[in-house]
Amino acid sequence: MNEKKNRPGTICVHAGYSPENGEPRQMPIIQSTTFKYESSAAMGRLFDLEDDGYFYTRLQNPTNDMVAARIAALEGGVAAMLTSSGQAANFFACFNICEAGDHMISAASIYGGTFNLFAVTFKKMGIDVTFVDQDAPAEEIEKAFRPNTKLVFGETLSNPGVRVLDLEKFATIAHSHGVPFIVDNTFPTPVFCRPFEWGADIVTHSTTKYMDGQGVQVGGAIVDSGNFDWEAHAEKFPGLTTPDESYHGVIYTKKFGKGAYISKATCQLMRDFGAIQSPQNAFYLGLGLQTLDVRVRRHNSSALRIARFLQSDPRVKWVEFPELETSPEHERQLKYLPEGTCGVMAFALDGDRDFVEKFMDSLKLATIETHVADCHTCILHPAAHTHRQLSDAQLAEAGIDPAQLRFSVGLEDPEDLIDDLRQALDKASEN
Ligand SMILES: *Cc1c(COP(=O)(O)O)cnc(C)c1O
């Protein structure tokens, strides 16, 4: 089966595992830390990277590899690795080519956890990050480059702002400076957007979100397109193009070709940091992926119906969802995400904090929680939760409306969700 010829819905079900005669139909869990060998020499060849094979699950595990292959096929990449979380994926993806004394450029509209990793922890590690306004003209963004810049980073659809990144613009800017473009594609998933088709080189995921989809396990993934030519920019990427003394002098680009980047991340970073996904969690992720195509289309179509309902209710001040014709993101959505975006939106009520609180407390289906992108609809009030220490004036400075809500549409029937929102708006409006 040539997986690349199939559409996402088929890849979700089949890629990464093809049972032979009499083998289990479902992908098996190989819940084992170690693997047995017949001779000392056979084991030695594995350590020398001479033979392919499993020896310790911190480095590689068959279940993890099957699930990683499914994600690689979905993205149209050549290789992938699973990590213990999305945070670990973004950390490894950057640290694999960026070290103390280096610099990188990131879009400013990114997930708060990633922003913190870049702005605070990377700084402590000696890596400087410049944040740029993703909608700024290319000439403006180019000014952020330095001789030691090693990569450009952004999110296809930002969490939580659901802003659409101009992938072609970012890829062109990165490549004209001889560095790769890394994209966190968590929110749209490869069902709605495959950033490699727009010039991205590396894709990352928090598989905790739609890929798992049920809210059962935290995980991450890194996928390599195999397209970036490390050797053409060898002076910038010595970690890939010169001998790794900590691994028997291997030169990753020479030994692994298009698999160089992921092999280095496995042999060095996973070996030393150990942020591996457990085979049990990888199995759950594989199950989630089987239904990803069906689920994200439903999340998205329900979200659009709900966004239109909210837009039509006078008690709602504004709604931000890229598919709405009124959205400033709409034009880029049509280009990069023509089949859909995700199930997350922001909206603000026309009322004070008390009104919002009464509305939230009256909801019966949408649960109040700090999560997004799984089968349960959930809602968060930034002014009362993630940003509660800020005054209204400080909120305004941060671009947050005190009456703003983040809403993640789950897999419930959309008409029931609309009924729930309507009754909560009615309750909050009673005196
Ligand atoms: C949640 C999230 C992360 C972090 O992932 P974890 O699995 O929670 O570590 C990174 N990027 C985006 C876009 C996310 O939504």
Side-chain angles (χ1 to χ4, degrees), residues 83-90 110-114 153 155-160 184-188 204-209 217-220 371-373:
T83 58
S84 57
S85 66
Q87 285 298 114
N90 282 328
I110 53 171
Y111 174 65
T114 312
F153 182 95
E155 291 177 0
T156 317
L157 265 178
S158 66
N159 175 6
D184 183 329
N185 197 35
T186 297
F187 265 26
T204 62
H205 282 281
S206 165
T207 61
T208 315
K209 312 292 164 54
Q217 43 93 28
V218 173
H371 191 47
V372 286

mmCIF file of all heavy atoms in Angstrom, residues 83-90 110-114 153 155-160 184-188 204-209 217-220 371-373, ligand 1:
data_model
loop_
_atom_site.group_PDB
_atom_site.id
_atom_site.type_symbol
_atom_site.label_atom_id
_atom_site.label_comp_id
_atom_site.label_asym_id
_atom_site.label_seq_id
_atom_site.Cartn_x
_atom_site.Cartn_y
_atom_site.Cartn_z
ATOM 1 N N THR A 83 7.097 11.910 21.759
ATOM 2 C CA THR A 83 7.674 12.425 23.002
ATOM 3 C C THR A 83 6.616 12.343 24.104
ATOM 4 O O THR A 83 5.440 12.104 23.815
ATOM 5 C CB THR A 83 8.130 13.888 22.839
ATOM 6 O OG1 THR A 83 6.988 14.665 22.443
ATOM 7 C CG2 THR A 83 9.218 14.017 21.781
ATOM 8 N N SER A 84 7.046 12.567 25.342
ATOM 9 C CA SER A 84 6.134 12.407 26.472
ATOM 10 C C SER A 84 5.080 13.501 26.543
ATOM 11 O O SER A 84 4.081 13.352 27.233
ATOM 12 C CB SER A 84 6.939 12.388 27.773
ATOM 13 O OG SER A 84 7.711 13.578 27.857
ATOM 14 N N SER A 85 5.294 14.630 25.846
ATOM 15 C CA SER A 85 4.317 15.722 25.865
ATOM 16 C C SER A 85 4.584 16.641 24.683
ATOM 17 O O SER A 85 5.636 16.554 24.031
ATOM 18 C CB SER A 85 4.443 16.535 27.166
ATOM 19 O OG SER A 85 5.698 17.187 27.197
ATOM 20 N N GLY A 86 3.658 17.553 24.439
ATOM 21 C CA GLY A 86 3.861 18.567 23.403
ATOM 22 C C GLY A 86 5.004 19.499 23.776
ATOM 23 O O GLY A 86 5.763 19.949 22.914
ATOM 24 N N GLN A 87 5.116 19.793 25.069
ATOM 25 C CA GLN A 87 6.221 20.644 25.532
ATOM 26 C C GLN A 87 7.567 20.014 25.167
ATOM 27 O O GLN A 87 8.477 20.681 24.689
ATOM 28 C CB GLN A 87 6.145 20.849 27.048
ATOM 29 C CG GLN A 87 5.074 21.817 27.509
ATOM 30 C CD GLN A 87 5.298 23.219 26.983
ATOM 31 O OE1 GLN A 87 4.521 23.733 26.183
ATOM 32 N NE2 GLN A 87 6.372 23.863 27.408
ATOM 33 N N ALA A 88 7.689 18.693 25.420
ATOM 34 C CA ALA A 88 8.937 17.991 25.105
ATOM 35 C C ALA A 88 9.180 18.013 23.595
ATOM 36 O O ALA A 88 10.330 18.142 23.146
ATOM 37 C CB ALA A 88 8.894 16.559 25.627
ATOM 38 N N ALA A 89 8.122 17.907 22.804
ATOM 39 C CA ALA A 89 8.275 17.914 21.340
ATOM 40 C C ALA A 89 8.857 19.248 20.876
ATOM 41 O O ALA A 89 9.819 19.282 20.091
ATOM 42 C CB ALA A 89 6.938 17.646 20.660
ATOM 43 N N ASN A 90 8.292 20.352 21.366
ATOM 44 C CA ASN A 90 8.801 21.663 20.928
ATOM 45 C C ASN A 90 10.210 21.921 21.460
ATOM 46 O O ASN A 90 11.041 22.517 20.777
ATOM 47 C CB ASN A 90 7.832 22.780 21.339
ATOM 48 C CG ASN A 90 6.634 22.833 20.404
ATOM 49 O OD1 ASN A 90 6.752 22.532 19.208
ATOM 50 N ND2 ASN A 90 5.486 23.196 20.934
ATOM 51 N N ILE A 110 1.690 32.352 20.156
ATOM 52 C CA ILE A 110 1.848 30.905 20.326
ATOM 53 C C ILE A 110 1.314 30.506 21.695
ATOM 54 O O ILE A 110 1.063 31.366 22.546
ATOM 55 C CB ILE A 110 3.330 30.460 20.190
ATOM 56 C CG1 ILE A 110 4.233 31.259 21.129
ATOM 57 C CG2 ILE A 110 3.807 30.591 18.739
ATOM 58 C CD1 ILE A 110 5.661 30.729 21.211
ATOM 59 N N TYR A 111 1.182 29.221 21.895
ATOM 60 C CA TYR A 111 0.713 28.643 23.154
ATOM 61 C C TYR A 111 1.554 29.167 24.327
ATOM 62 O O TYR A 111 2.780 29.269 24.223
ATOM 63 C CB TYR A 111 0.823 27.122 23.027
ATOM 64 C CG TYR A 111 0.525 26.344 24.276
ATOM 65 C CD1 TYR A 111 -0.749 26.345 24.848
ATOM 66 C CD2 TYR A 111 1.512 25.583 24.889
ATOM 67 C CE1 TYR A 111 -1.012 25.614 25.982
ATOM 68 C CE2 TYR A 111 1.250 24.839 26.026
ATOM 69 C CZ TYR A 111 -0.015 24.870 26.573
ATOM 70 O OH TYR A 111 -0.279 24.132 27.702
ATOM 71 N N GLY A 112 0.886 29.496 25.450
ATOM 72 C CA GLY A 112 1.561 30.085 26.596
ATOM 73 C C GLY A 112 2.725 29.245 27.124
ATOM 74 O O GLY A 112 3.763 29.775 27.509
ATOM 75 N N GLY A 113 2.555 27.923 27.125
ATOM 76 C CA GLY A 113 3.616 27.037 27.613
ATOM 77 C C GLY A 113 4.852 27.103 26.724
ATOM 78 O O GLY A 113 5.993 27.069 27.212
ATOM 79 N N THR A 114 4.642 27.195 25.413
ATOM 80 C CA THR A 114 5.757 27.294 24.479
ATOM 81 C C THR A 114 6.425 28.654 24.609
ATOM 82 O O THR A 114 7.659 28.769 24.568
ATOM 83 C CB THR A 114 5.258 27.078 23.033
ATOM 84 O OG1 THR A 114 4.430 25.921 23.012
ATOM 85 C CG2 THR A 114 6.409 26.906 22.063
ATOM 86 N N PHE A 153 10.083 29.655 14.038
ATOM 87 C CA PHE A 153 9.016 28.831 14.632
ATOM 88 C C PHE A 153 7.677 29.565 14.614
ATOM 89 O O PHE A 153 7.622 30.789 14.784
ATOM 90 C CB PHE A 153 9.394 28.507 16.096
ATOM 91 C CG PHE A 153 8.410 27.628 16.821
ATOM 92 C CD1 PHE A 153 8.593 26.258 16.874
ATOM 93 C CD2 PHE A 153 7.292 28.178 17.456
ATOM 94 C CE1 PHE A 153 7.681 25.439 17.545
ATOM 95 C CE2 PHE A 153 6.377 27.356 18.126
ATOM 96 C CZ PHE A 153 6.576 25.988 18.173
ATOM 97 N N GLU A 155 2.948 28.680 14.944
ATOM 98 C CA GLU A 155 1.836 27.723 15.043
ATOM 99 C C GLU A 155 0.887 27.940 13.867
ATOM 100 O O GLU A 155 0.466 29.083 13.629
ATOM 101 C CB GLU A 155 1.063 27.912 16.363
ATOM 102 C CG GLU A 155 1.859 27.492 17.574
ATOM 103 C CD GLU A 155 1.135 27.728 18.914
ATOM 104 O OE1 GLU A 155 -0.012 28.220 18.921
ATOM 105 O OE2 GLU A 155 1.749 27.426 19.959
ATOM 106 N N THR A 156 0.514 26.872 13.176
ATOM 107 C CA THR A 156 -0.410 26.980 12.040
ATOM 108 C C THR A 156 -1.649 27.772 12.452
ATOM 109 O O THR A 156 -2.054 28.724 11.784
ATOM 110 C CB THR A 156 -0.875 25.583 11.566
ATOM 111 O OG1 THR A 156 0.238 24.714 11.547
ATOM 112 C CG2 THR A 156 -1.514 25.662 10.203
ATOM 113 N N LEU A 157 -2.254 27.319 13.559
ATOM 114 C CA LEU A 157 -3.403 28.004 14.163
ATOM 115 C C LEU A 157 -3.015 28.229 15.602
ATOM 116 O O LEU A 157 -2.764 27.263 16.328
ATOM 117 C CB LEU A 157 -4.615 27.074 14.165
ATOM 118 C CG LEU A 157 -5.647 27.117 13.075
ATOM 119 C CD1 LEU A 157 -6.693 26.036 13.347
ATOM 120 C CD2 LEU A 157 -6.312 28.467 12.959
ATOM 121 N N SER A 158 -2.948 29.482 16.033
ATOM 122 C CA SER A 158 -2.403 29.729 17.370
ATOM 123 C C SER A 158 -3.397 29.335 18.462
ATOM 124 O O SER A 158 -4.609 29.473 18.312
ATOM 125 C CB SER A 158 -2.002 31.205 17.505
ATOM 126 O OG SER A 158 -3.148 32.023 17.438
ATOM 127 N N ASN A 159 -2.839 28.841 19.560
ATOM 128 C CA ASN A 159 -3.628 28.518 20.747
ATOM 129 C C ASN A 159 -3.368 29.606 21.773
ATOM 130 O O ASN A 159 -2.211 29.790 22.158
ATOM 131 C CB ASN A 159 -3.188 27.154 21.312
ATOM 132 C CG ASN A 159 -3.881 26.803 22.623
ATOM 133 O OD1 ASN A 159 -4.767 27.506 23.071
ATOM 134 N ND2 ASN A 159 -3.459 25.707 23.234
ATOM 135 N N PRO A 160 -4.355 30.350 22.258
ATOM 136 C CA PRO A 160 -5.794 30.166 22.023
ATOM 137 C C PRO A 160 -6.381 31.129 20.993
ATOM 138 O O PRO A 160 -7.590 31.086 20.774
ATOM 139 C CB PRO A 160 -6.382 30.479 23.395
ATOM 140 C CG PRO A 160 -5.487 31.577 23.905
ATOM 141 C CD PRO A 160 -4.116 31.314 23.327
ATOM 142 N N ASP A 184 4.246 24.218 14.711
ATOM 143 C CA ASP A 184 3.404 23.458 15.632
ATOM 144 C C ASP A 184 2.026 23.365 14.973
ATOM 145 O O ASP A 184 1.323 24.366 14.840
ATOM 146 C CB ASP A 184 3.351 24.182 16.987
ATOM 147 C CG ASP A 184 2.549 23.416 18.036
ATOM 148 O OD1 ASP A 184 1.596 22.705 17.649
ATOM 149 O OD2 ASP A 184 2.847 23.552 19.237
ATOM 150 N N ASN A 185 1.658 22.145 14.569
ATOM 151 C CA ASN A 185 0.414 21.939 13.805
ATOM 152 C C ASN A 185 -0.667 21.272 14.659
ATOM 153 O O ASN A 185 -1.524 20.559 14.149
ATOM 154 C CB ASN A 185 0.750 21.064 12.572
ATOM 155 C CG ASN A 185 -0.319 21.111 11.507
ATOM 156 O OD1 ASN A 185 -0.958 22.144 11.298
ATOM 157 N ND2 ASN A 185 -0.531 19.992 10.823
ATOM 158 N N THR A 186 -0.620 21.511 15.978
ATOM 159 C CA THR A 186 -1.526 20.850 16.917
ATOM 160 C C THR A 186 -2.999 21.103 16.612
ATOM 161 O O THR A 186 -3.795 20.168 16.562
ATOM 162 C CB THR A 186 -1.227 21.320 18.360
ATOM 163 O OG1 THR A 186 0.101 20.922 18.715
ATOM 164 C CG2 THR A 186 -2.212 20.743 19.354
ATOM 165 N N PHE A 187 -3.387 22.364 16.429
ATOM 166 C CA PHE A 187 -4.816 22.683 16.334
ATOM 167 C C PHE A 187 -5.476 22.184 15.047
ATOM 168 O O PHE A 187 -6.522 21.546 15.126
ATOM 169 C CB PHE A 187 -5.041 24.189 16.543
ATOM 170 C CG PHE A 187 -5.388 24.548 17.966
ATOM 171 C CD1 PHE A 187 -4.968 23.744 19.023
ATOM 172 C CD2 PHE A 187 -6.131 25.680 18.266
ATOM 173 C CE1 PHE A 187 -5.286 24.064 20.344
ATOM 174 C CE2 PHE A 187 -6.466 26.011 19.577
ATOM 175 C CZ PHE A 187 -6.045 25.201 20.620
ATOM 176 N N PRO A 188 -4.910 22.426 13.863
ATOM 177 C CA PRO A 188 -5.618 21.938 12.667
ATOM 178 C C PRO A 188 -5.469 20.437 12.447
ATOM 179 O O PRO A 188 -6.322 19.823 11.809
ATOM 180 C CB PRO A 188 -4.981 22.720 11.519
ATOM 181 C CG PRO A 188 -3.700 23.218 12.030
ATOM 182 C CD PRO A 188 -3.781 23.308 13.523
ATOM 183 N N THR A 204 5.613 19.898 14.604
ATOM 184 C CA THR A 204 5.467 19.341 15.954
ATOM 185 C C THR A 204 3.989 19.252 16.311
ATOM 186 O O THR A 204 3.141 19.923 15.698
ATOM 187 C CB THR A 204 6.171 20.208 17.017
ATOM 188 O OG1 THR A 204 5.560 21.506 17.018
ATOM 189 C CG2 THR A 204 7.664 20.338 16.727
ATOM 190 N N HIS A 205 3.705 18.414 17.319
ATOM 191 C CA HIS A 205 2.330 18.254 17.798
ATOM 192 C C HIS A 205 2.294 18.071 19.297
ATOM 193 O O HIS A 205 3.146 17.373 19.858
ATOM 194 C CB HIS A 205 1.679 17.002 17.191
ATOM 195 C CG HIS A 205 1.225 17.190 15.784
ATOM 196 N ND1 HIS A 205 0.056 17.832 15.471
ATOM 197 C CD2 HIS A 205 1.801 16.856 14.611
ATOM 198 C CE1 HIS A 205 -0.075 17.871 14.153
ATOM 199 N NE2 HIS A 205 0.972 17.290 13.600
ATOM 200 N N SER A 206 1.270 18.658 19.923
ATOM 201 C CA SER A 206 0.839 18.173 21.220
ATOM 202 C C SER A 206 -0.243 17.162 20.877
ATOM 203 O O SER A 206 -1.352 17.542 20.494
ATOM 204 C CB SER A 206 0.271 19.304 22.079
ATOM 205 O OG SER A 206 -0.436 18.724 23.166
ATOM 206 N N THR A 207 0.080 15.864 20.996
ATOM 207 C CA THR A 207 -0.913 14.838 20.659
ATOM 208 C C THR A 207 -1.972 14.717 21.752
ATOM 209 O O THR A 207 -2.953 13.996 21.603
ATOM 210 C CB THR A 207 -0.229 13.471 20.456
ATOM 211 O OG1 THR A 207 0.420 13.083 21.677
ATOM 212 C CG2 THR A 207 0.809 13.534 19.338
ATOM 213 N N THR A 208 -1.750 15.457 22.854
ATOM 214 C CA THR A 208 -2.702 15.541 23.956
ATOM 215 C C THR A 208 -4.065 16.048 23.487
ATOM 216 O O THR A 208 -5.080 15.763 24.117
ATOM 217 C CB THR A 208 -2.158 16.554 24.996
ATOM 218 O OG1 THR A 208 -0.782 16.300 25.216
ATOM 219 C CG2 THR A 208 -2.907 16.484 26.290
ATOM 220 N N LYS A 209 -4.056 16.816 22.411
ATOM 221 C CA LYS A 209 -5.276 17.505 21.973
ATOM 222 C C LYS A 209 -6.085 16.603 21.036
ATOM 223 O O LYS A 209 -6.405 15.499 21.401
ATOM 224 C CB LYS A 209 -4.895 18.838 21.337
ATOM 225 C CG LYS A 209 -3.895 19.660 22.171
ATOM 226 C CD LYS A 209 -4.477 20.191 23.468
ATOM 227 C CE LYS A 209 -3.416 20.662 24.458
ATOM 228 N NZ LYS A 209 -2.457 21.639 23.941
ATOM 229 N N GLN A 217 -4.480 11.032 27.654
ATOM 230 C CA GLN A 217 -3.034 10.966 27.869
ATOM 231 C C GLN A 217 -2.312 12.149 27.228
ATOM 232 O O GLN A 217 -2.683 12.630 26.175
ATOM 233 C CB GLN A 217 -2.457 9.646 27.369
ATOM 234 C CG GLN A 217 -2.976 9.178 26.025
ATOM 235 C CD GLN A 217 -2.129 9.605 24.872
ATOM 236 O OE1 GLN A 217 -0.941 9.799 25.001
ATOM 237 N NE2 GLN A 217 -2.740 9.757 23.701
ATOM 238 N N VAL A 218 -1.249 12.578 27.924
ATOM 239 C CA VAL A 218 -0.424 13.686 27.458
ATOM 240 C C VAL A 218 0.673 13.118 26.553
ATOM 241 O O VAL A 218 1.276 12.094 26.887
ATOM 242 C CB VAL A 218 0.200 14.410 28.679
ATOM 243 C CG1 VAL A 218 1.204 15.466 28.254
ATOM 244 C CG2 VAL A 218 -0.898 15.038 29.532
ATOM 245 N N GLY A 219 0.913 13.770 25.413
ATOM 246 C CA GLY A 219 1.958 13.264 24.511
ATOM 247 C C GLY A 219 2.308 14.284 23.447
ATOM 248 O O GLY A 219 1.645 15.313 23.289
ATOM 249 N N GLY A 220 3.388 13.993 22.720
ATOM 250 C CA GLY A 220 3.814 14.896 21.655
ATOM 251 C C GLY A 220 4.452 14.130 20.511
ATOM 252 O O GLY A 220 4.700 12.917 20.620
ATOM 253 N N HIS A 371 -8.688 23.101 29.542
ATOM 254 C CA HIS A 371 -8.204 22.213 28.489
ATOM 255 C C HIS A 371 -8.883 22.656 27.200
ATOM 256 O O HIS A 371 -9.822 23.446 27.220
ATOM 257 C CB HIS A 371 -8.536 20.756 28.833
ATOM 258 C CG HIS A 371 -7.842 19.773 27.929
ATOM 259 N ND1 HIS A 371 -6.507 19.856 27.631
ATOM 260 C CD2 HIS A 371 -8.300 18.694 27.249
ATOM 261 C CE1 HIS A 371 -6.184 18.858 26.820
ATOM 262 N NE2 HIS A 371 -7.259 18.150 26.566
ATOM 263 N N VAL A 372 -8.381 22.192 26.089
ATOM 264 C CA VAL A 372 -9.045 22.426 24.812
ATOM 265 C C VAL A 372 -8.892 21.166 23.973
ATOM 266 O O VAL A 372 -8.055 20.315 24.243
ATOM 267 C CB VAL A 372 -8.408 23.585 24.003
ATOM 268 C CG1 VAL A 372 -8.742 24.927 24.585
ATOM 269 C CG2 VAL A 372 -6.910 23.408 23.863
ATOM 270 N N ALA A 373 -9.710 21.096 22.934
ATOM 271 C CA ALA A 373 -9.487 20.144 21.847
ATOM 272 C C ALA A 373 -9.617 18.681 22.233
ATOM 273 O O ALA A 373 -8.802 17.864 21.842
ATOM 274 C CB ALA A 373 -8.116 20.407 21.208
HETATM 275 C C1 LIG B 1 -1.141 22.058 24.516
HETATM 276 C C2 LIG B 1 -0.203 22.596 23.512
HETATM 277 C C3 LIG B 1 1.191 22.424 23.652
HETATM 278 C C4 LIG B 1 1.799 21.727 24.841
HETATM 279 O O1 LIG B 1 1.471 20.386 24.809
HETATM 280 P P1 LIG B 1 1.398 19.435 26.123
HETATM 281 O O2 LIG B 1 1.034 18.124 25.512
HETATM 282 O O3 LIG B 1 0.369 20.012 27.032
HETATM 283 O O4 LIG B 1 2.759 19.427 26.722
HETATM 284 C C5 LIG B 1 2.003 22.906 22.655
HETATM 285 N N1 LIG B 1 1.506 23.554 21.593
HETATM 286 C C6 LIG B 1 0.173 23.754 21.428
HETATM 287 C C7 LIG B 1 -0.330 24.473 20.217
HETATM 288 C C8 LIG B 1 -0.722 23.282 22.381
HETATM 289 O O5 LIG B 1 -2.052 23.480 22.220
#
